[in-house]
């Protein structure tokens, strides 16, 4: 069965972009067609300055929202990255295969490092090397497919390159994964800055619809969305990005096609009203289920505990094989279990 792995980084409140671009597909498609793992990648949240209590709070909230979106722990594995040691065990081995040049060519590293420097802060080494940890997240599980947004495909390509290089140097150890993305709304844009992704790490609220926003807050944000200059409702992402973003959001919420939807409107007002209604309706069951789950915190703890145990059992054989392949001695209990005089 195809194995799928993907993760959510707890660096901010989850957004409509996270849901339409990833989470909904995980819940409606991936968990049914594949052996699927979905991870709160909390170690990645430590690459920049952070509040420890906030990381813990957002990690719990993200896990709750994954379940509220429809992920079923009986069908898929939901867990927290730091609960499974194999991620960090494998990451160092892969650092010994990756190169400095590869790390510095990562677009997100360039952007985030520049942002930190503009703020007068120092750039953490982990910001440079975290794509290798992401590769470890993927490769530890023998992942076939990684559902990601367009901004993350470069990281999956790095994981592929590292897997191929490791296999060539030390013997076949890893499955070489591939990135997959939905055809519509793979990258929902900021309602006020349609040239920028609707990112959860960006706390400038007016252009970002958060999954837990109240319906009237959602409506106000959509109605105030930028629609560009020009007349008529047309779908043209290059010249009319704000309008195209609204059409893509409406299409993703209703199952329509952005170009066909554009022909249904004579003005921006009706389009915005329908988009706001569609977004509110899509988020309604998620918000209701989130409230139910928050009332039973023991359920979430149990899901994460069982998910980590299951993930650990999947990852350990591959990581142990990588340790042997690269030339490390087996752990003492393995040595004791080996026949006397056996070559390892």
């Amino acid at each position: 069965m195809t194995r799928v792995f993907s993760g959510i980084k707890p660096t901010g409140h989850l957004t409509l972009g996270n849901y339409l671009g990833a989470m909904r597909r995980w819940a409606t498609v991936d968990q049914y067609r594949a052996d699927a793992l979905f991870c709160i990648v909390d170690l990645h949240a430590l690459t920049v300055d952070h509040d420890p209590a906030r990381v813990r709070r957002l990690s719990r909230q993200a896990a709750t929202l994954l379940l509220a979106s429809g992920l079923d722990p009986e069908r898929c594995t939901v867990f927290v990255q730091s609960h499974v040691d194999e991620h960090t065990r494998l990451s160092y081995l892969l650092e010994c295969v990756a190169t400095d040049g590869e790390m510095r060519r990562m677009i997100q590293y360039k952007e985030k490092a520049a942002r930190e420097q503009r703020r007068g802060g120092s750039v953490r080494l982990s910001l440079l090397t975290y794509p290798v940890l992401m590769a470890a997240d993927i490769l530890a599980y023998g992942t076939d497919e990684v559902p990601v947004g367009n901004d993350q495909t470069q990281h999956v390509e790095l994981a592929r390159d590292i897997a191929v290089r490791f296999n060539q140097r030390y013997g076949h150890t890893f499955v070489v994964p591939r990135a997959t993305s939905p055809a519509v709304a793979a990258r929902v844009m900021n309602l006020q800055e349609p040239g920028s992704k609707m990112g959860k790490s960006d706390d400038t609220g007016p252009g970002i619809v958060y999954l837990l926003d109240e319906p009237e807050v959602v409506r106000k944000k959509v109605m105030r969305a930028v629609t560009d200059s020009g007349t008529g409702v047309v779908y043209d992402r290059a010249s009319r990005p704000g309008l195209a973003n609204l059409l893509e959001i409406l299409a993703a919420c209703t199952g329509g096609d952005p170009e066909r939807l554009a022909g249904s409107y004579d003005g921006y007002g009706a389009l915005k009203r329908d988009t706001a209604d569609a977004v509110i309706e899509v988020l309604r069951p998620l918000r209701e289920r989130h409230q139910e789950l928050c009332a039973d915190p023991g359920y979430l703890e149990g899901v994460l505990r069982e998910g980590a145990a299951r993930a650990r059992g999947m990852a350990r054989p591959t990581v142990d094989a990588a340790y042997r392949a690269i030339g490390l001695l087996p752990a003492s209990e393995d040595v004791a279990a080996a026949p006397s005089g056996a070559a390892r």
Side-chain angles (χ1 to χ4, degrees):
M1 193 176 191
T2 299
R3 180 161 288 174
V4 168
F5 176 96
S6 200
I8 287 282
K9 184 164 58 174
T11 51
H13 298 289
L14 298 184
T15 73
L16 179 67
N18 296 125
Y19 182 68
L20 294 180
M23 294 165 61
R24 184 172 64 173
R25 171 175 162 161
W26 298 350
T28 59
V29 177
D30 292 328
Q31 70 171 337
Y32 293 99
R33 70 174 181 85
D35 182 7
L37 299 98
F38 302 107
C39 181
I40 310 301
V41 286
D42 53 345
L43 295 174
H44 292 296
L46 311 185
T47 59
V48 295
D49 190 33
H50 63 277
D51 174 9
R54 187 170 188 263
V55 171
R56 285 190 291 270
R57 184 171 64 253
L58 290 175
S59 296
R60 190 174 292 109
Q61 183 185 88
T64 305
L65 284 168
L66 286 182
L67 297 179
S69 72
L71 291 185
D72 180 355
E74 298 298 319
R75 290 185 173 274
C76 63
T77 303
V78 180
F79 67 105
V80 176
Q81 179 190 32
S82 63
H83 295 176
V84 180
D85 292 344
E86 278 64 29
H87 291 254
T88 50
R89 285 184 61 208
L90 181 57
S91 183
Y92 180 73
L93 263 62
L94 300 186
E95 285 187 15
C96 297
V97 177
T99 68
D100 176 75
E102 286 175 317
M103 297 301 98
R104 296 187 186 279
R105 284 194 295 271
M106 293 288 109
I107 294 171
Q108 289 207 0
Y109 168 72
K110 293 178 181 179
E111 292 176 348
K112 292 179 180 179
R115 189 158 58 240
E116 283 297 308
Q117 290 167 345
R118 285 195 299 270
R119 291 172 179 170
S122 57
V123 180
R124 300 184 182 189
L125 179 61
S126 57
L127 185 61
L128 178 66
T129 61
Y130 92 88
V132 179
L133 176 58
M134 184 174 174
D137 299 337
I138 296 166
L139 299 181
Y141 296 100
T143 302
D144 299 295
E145 296 180 7
V146 188
V148 292
N150 296 336
D151 59 324
Q152 291 292 330
T153 54
Q154 187 185 34
H155 290 157
V156 180
E157 287 303 313
L158 176 70
R160 288 173 56 84
D161 292 342
I162 291 175
V164 169
R165 192 177 306 149
F166 192 103
N167 290 346
Q168 290 174 342
R169 290 181 182 176
Y170 305 113
H172 186 78
T173 307
F174 299 117
V175 173
V176 180
R178 61 185 180 276
T180 60
S181 60
V184 177
R187 197 176 190 194
V188 177
M189 311 306 280
N190 189 300
L191 294 174
Q192 292 297 317
E193 301 175 20
S196 302
K197 186 181 73 168
M198 187 182 284
K200 62 182 179 298
S201 301
D202 183 358
D203 289 330
T204 56
I208 302 172
V209 175
Y210 297 104
L211 297 185
L212 296 180
D213 277 346
E214 294 291 336
E216 285 312 306
V217 174
V218 173
R219 187 176 303 281
K220 185 180 295 185
K221 290 178 177 180
V222 174
M223 293 303 294
R224 293 179 177 176
V226 169
T227 49
D228 322 302
S229 59
T231 58
V233 178
V234 294
Y235 178 64
D236 186 339
R237 177 158 282 287
S239 63
R240 308 283 293 279
L243 191 56
N245 189 37
L246 285 174
L247 288 166
E248 288 185 358
I249 291 171
L250 179 59
C253 290
T254 61
D257 175 81
E259 269 191 76
R260 290 180 181 174
L261 284 170
S264 304
Y265 294 94
D266 296 323
Y268 301 151
L271 170 62
K272 288 183 174 182
R273 285 192 294 273
D274 285 355
T275 302
D277 288 342
V279 171
I280 290 168
E281 185 57 28
V282 160
L283 295 185
R284 179 184 54 76
L286 182 146
R287 295 179 68 255
E288 292 174 354
R289 179 59 177 152
H290 177 265
Q291 289 182 333
E292 294 172 1
L293 291 168
C294 286
D296 185 10
Y299 174 74
L300 175 66
E301 298 301 323
V303 167
L304 296 180
R305 183 172 55 251
E306 293 172 13
R310 194 185 308 163
R312 200 174 299 119
M314 293 181 194
R316 184 163 295 168
T318 298
V319 177
D320 286 349
Y323 267 59
R324 291 191 299 271
I326 207 169
L328 299 178
L329 288 172
S332 57
E333 59 266 27
D334 294 335
V335 172
S340 177
R344 300 300 295 266

